[in-house]
Amino acid sequence: MDFLWFLFALGLLGVILATWLRRRRGGIRLSEPGAPDAADPSAYGFVRQEELDIRMPGPDQDLLDVLDLVQRTQDWRAAAQLLAGTPKEGEVRWQRVQAFAGAASLELQQRPGEGGSWLRAWRAEQPKDAGGAAVHAEFLVQQAWRSSSVGSDDFRIILEEAREVCGQAGLLAPGDPVPYITELAVARGLAYTPEQFDQLWAKIIDRAPHHMGAHLAALHYWCEKWHGSRKDADRFATAAAARAPQGSLLAALPLFAVFEHLPDVVMVQDFFNTEIVSKAMGGAMYAVHSARPDDPMLAHVRHLLVHFLVRAERWSEAMHQLVHVDGHIGALPWTLSSDPAAEYAVYRALAVAGYEANGGSPATLSH
C-alpha cells in the first residue's frame, strides 16, 4: 500500500512539473490586477466581475423585466401572463419556469416565511393556471435540493410533493413537456428504476423529441454518480447526438457527458487534448456553428466550451466563445461554484492572458 501511495505521489508530481515547464516555455503568466503587464478583460468589452448576471445563461429581457416587476410588487400576474404567451414546444418556457421558481426559492431562503409569497398567492388564487403549477413544481424541486440533505426524510417528502404537482401541471397543460422535464429531477432524487424512468422519458419524447434541456436533465440520471455509469451516460449522449436534426444542439451532448465524469484530479498530461475530449469538443463546436443564433440553449453550450477550451489551452477559440456569452453566466460549469462570478472571471482572465501571450489583442478578436 505504501508503494502504491508512492507511485500516486510521483505521478502527481510529474503532472505538476510538466505543467510548470510548459508554462515556462512560453505559456501564460497571470499578473496581479493593475500590474503594468496584466491582461485586461475590460479591453475586450467584457463585463466587470461584480456586474455579471448569474441568474441566466444568456439574455432574456422580457423575463428580466417581469422578474423585476414581480419581485418589486409581489404580484404574480405579470409572470402568469408571460408564461401564457410563451410557446410550449420550445426551450424558452422551460428556462422561464426555472427562473421564476429559482427567484421564489432564493427569496424564501433570504427571508424565511416571507420570501416567495407571490408564488403562494398565484397558486391560491389561480389553482388551475398551468404556468403557476409548473413553477410550483420546479420550486419544490429546487427547495428539496437546496434545503435538504439528499436521501433524508425531508428531501423525499418535498420531492414526493413535487411529483404530485408535476402531475397536476401536466394535466393542466396537455402537450407541454415542462412538467415532465421537471419530474426528471424527481426521478433522480427518488431513485426511479430504469423502467420507471423510461416511461417518464417516453412522455417527454412524445412531446418534444429534440428538447436540449430535457436531454441535459435526463443525462444526470444516467451518470455514474446517480443511477447509471460512465458507459450509460456516453451511450445516451451519443445516441441523442446521432439522431439530432441539422442545426440541433444535441450534437454537443457528449461534451456534457464528459464533463459529468471529469476526474477530480487529472493525472494524464494534456488530458483535455485527448481523443475522447477533443472529439466531444469537436461535436460541440459543430453544434454551435450550425445552430440558430437565437437558439435559447446556445449559451449553455458556449459556456461549457469556454471551460474545456481554456483547459485545453485553445485560447483563441475560447475567446471567440466568450464574446458571445459574457455578461450572463447562469450555466454550467460556473453554477456549480459557491461563487459563480469569481469562477467564470478566472477562466476569462486565463483566456485573455493566453490569447495575448500568443499574439492576440482586442484588435484581432472579431465580435
Side-chain angles (χ1 to χ4, degrees):
M1 182 62 70
D2 290 341
F3 181 66
L4 290 176
W5 277 113
F6 171 76
L7 289 178
F8 174 82
L10 189 61
L12 182 60
L13 180 61
V15 171
I16 294 171
L17 182 59
T19 301
W20 179 78
L21 287 173
R22 187 166 63 252
R23 299 202 185 285
R24 289 274 294 180
R25 288 197 301 266
I28 64 172
R29 295 180 61 191
L30 291 179
S31 303
E32 290 296 323
D37 59 346
D40 184 8
S42 67
Y44 295 84
F46 292 149
V47 175
R48 294 171 61 88
Q49 179 178 329
E50 59 270 23
E51 296 173 356
L52 291 168
D53 191 327
I54 65 173
R55 295 172 294 179
M56 298 181 299
D60 183 343
Q61 195 57 49
D62 289 341
L63 173 61
L64 289 176
D65 291 342
V66 170
L67 264 176
D68 178 66
L69 179 63
V70 168
Q71 293 186 302
R72 182 162 36 84
T73 65
Q74 292 295 295
D75 189 332
W76 54 268
R77 290 175 178 82
Q81 184 177 7
L82 181 65
L83 285 182
T86 304
K88 296 176 182 177
E89 62 274 8
E91 307 272 356
V92 175
R93 184 176 177 85
W94 174 67
Q95 293 192 10
R96 288 177 172 176
V97 165
Q98 284 192 311
F100 284 129
S105 180
L106 188 58
E107 280 186 33
L108 185 60
Q109 183 182 46
Q110 294 171 341
R111 303 194 311 277
E114 299 179 17
S117 60
W118 54 269
L119 178 55
R120 292 192 291 275
W122 187 357
R123 292 292 284 143
E125 295 171 29
Q126 290 291 333
K128 300 299 183 182
D129 183 78
V135 173
H136 185 202
E138 176 65 29
F139 167 81
L140 289 169
V141 166
Q142 293 194 27
Q143 279 297 103
W145 293 96
R146 178 174 288 161
S147 63
S148 308
S149 300
V150 175
S152 67
D153 289 343
D154 287 346
F155 179 78
R156 296 188 62 83
I157 289 170
I158 297 173
L159 285 186
E160 290 285 2
E161 184 181 357
R163 175 161 57 183
E164 182 178 342
V165 179
C166 283
Q168 296 171 7
L171 292 175
L172 291 170
D176 185 358
V178 171
Y180 303 99
I181 297 173
T182 299
E183 192 180 343
L184 290 173
V186 177
R188 181 159 46 101
L190 294 182
Y192 281 22
T193 65
E195 292 74 24
Q196 290 174 312
F197 186 88
D198 286 341
Q199 291 173 7
L200 173 60
W201 184 241
K203 295 177 183 178
I204 296 170
I205 293 299
D206 286 345
R207 291 163 174 80
H210 307 300
H211 198 289
M212 179 67 173
H215 281 80
L216 289 176
L219 179 64
H220 290 300
Y221 176 90
W222 293 113
C223 286
E224 191 173 63
K225 59 189 173 184
W226 288 107
H227 308 296
S229 65
R230 185 187 302 264
K231 186 176 181 180
D232 289 333
D234 181 66
R235 184 188 301 115
F236 175 79
T238 302
R243 64 173 179 265
Q246 177 66 27
S248 170
L249 286 167
L250 287 175
L253 201 62
L255 186 64
F256 286 86
V258 171
F259 177 75
E260 290 295 334
H261 295 90
L262 285 178
D264 292 331
V265 179
V266 176
M267 298 296 296
V268 179
Q269 186 176 350
D270 291 332
F271 171 82
F272 287 89
N273 287 303
T274 56
E275 182 179 358
I276 187 170
V277 178
S278 295
K279 183 178 179 181
M281 279 198 284
M285 295 286 281
Y286 168 79
V288 163
H289 289 310
S290 61
R292 300 189 329 269
D294 63 344
D295 191 314
M297 293 300 292
L298 186 54
H300 285 272
V301 180
R302 290 191 187 278
H303 278 292
L304 194 65
L305 271 172
V306 169
H307 171 86
F308 276 93
L309 290 169
V310 168
R311 296 293 296 271
E313 299 185 4
R314 292 163 61 172
W315 313 117
S316 179
E317 292 166 288
M319 290 292 287
H320 281 85
Q321 299 304 319
L322 283 166
V323 298
H324 290 287
V325 298
D326 192 71
H328 297 274
I329 60 167
L332 288 175
W334 326 121
T335 50
L336 296 179
S337 170
S338 59
D339 190 344
E343 182 81 1
Y344 169 83
V346 167
Y347 275 77
R348 185 177 65 182
L350 285 167
V352 170
Y355 183 63
E356 294 187 352
N358 288 275
S361 70
T364 62
L365 183 65
S366 59
H367 285 69

